Amino acid sequence: MGEWLLNNWDKIFWSFITIIISLFIYKYILKVLKKTLETFGKDLRAPKTVQFFIGIIIAVFAIFALLSIWNVDLLPYITGLGISSIVVGLALQEPLANFVSGILVITTRKLFEGEVVDVNGIVGSVQEIKMNHSLIKTFDGKLIYVPNRAVWNGIVTKFWPGPIRRITMEIGVSYDCNLEKVVKILQQALDEEPLVVKNNTVSNFVAFKRFGSSSIDFTVYFWVERANYFDAVNSLAFRIKNLFDKENIEIPYTQIDLHIKNEKYL
């Protein structure tokens, strides 16, 4: 062992230097990228994914450098594989497809870290895009690994493509109510609720839906910011209920009319 170390100390030294330089370059690139984005007033929106792929690229170059230092020629090994190379190629077909799909997913922004999405029926927030899988955390705390190939070929629904999103709320009132008054109260609630977005690019309104079996139903359409999603829905619901109580507007229970017919039997 001691003799081997003496004969290869230079290779060990340069291998150590290569690893140190690779780590330095990795951290330096991330630092420069972060500062460049800060200069333009932007944040690194997908830090985990970016760090992962930059690390992969630098690691590949570092491996080639280490092979060169140790005078390792891969050509004889590749040539000697023969028929087994076909087996290896088939085994790597799916991982390679996932890797290429992952690059396409990132470059085309089909998925992005932090987004809330539905990927082929899986709903959650994107945690990270790795070499073979995209990590999606569902709202009940599960972490699901979705193959990048399935992401690239599948249907992706983005719930928040912009800073605001339209929500619908179903409201049913009694048949005894004045419908014009109901619509005015619902519109008043929309206008007075501070968490509902109001600007020239959106419209919040009330629309008739149907004459239901127990109530006359309306749909309230309104826009909210992502950060206020649940607070806005709750606050508007409380406001509508309070206004209905003040104006004696009834939200009816499900009703069933039962008709009894008397018959005489001989």
Side-chain angles (χ1 to χ4, degrees), residues 199-212:
N199 55 46
N200 296 330
T201 63
V202 301
S203 60
N204 305 300
F205 59 94
V206 180
F208 169 82
K209 183 179 181 182
R210 65 184 175 187
F211 291 104

Side-chain angles (χ1 to χ4, degrees), residues 33 208 260:
L33 181 61
F208 169 82
I260 301 176

Side-chain angles (χ1 to χ4, degrees), residues 23-33:
L23 290 174
F24 173 79
I25 293 174
Y26 170 72
K27 293 182 179 180
Y28 180 76
I29 290 175
L30 291 177
K31 185 177 181 181
V32 170
L33 181 61

Side-chain angles (χ1 to χ4, degrees), residues 32-42:
V32 170
L33 181 61
K34 185 178 180 180
K35 285 188 176 181
T36 303
L37 291 173
E38 289 177 351
T39 302
F40 290 97
K42 297 182 178 181

Side-chain angles (χ1 to χ4, degrees), residues 115-173:
E115 286 185 317
V116 179
V117 297
D118 180 332
V119 180
N120 301 325
I122 300 172
V123 180
S125 61
V126 181
Q127 297 296 298
E128 187 177 353
I129 301 173
K130 288 185 174 290
M131 186 167 60
N132 283 311
H133 297 83
S134 294
L135 277 60
I136 297 180
K137 188 174 184 179
T138 61
F139 296 121
D140 57 355
K142 298 175 183 176
L143 187 62
I144 300 178
Y145 286 68
V146 183
N148 288 328
R149 187 176 183 180
V151 175
W152 177 246
N153 294 324
I155 297 175
V156 176
T157 301
K158 298 191 176 187
F159 289 99
W160 294 95
I164 59 175
R165 173 183 165 191
R166 195 182 74 176
I167 308 297
T168 60
M169 182 182 293
E170 308 294 338
I171 305 291
V173 298

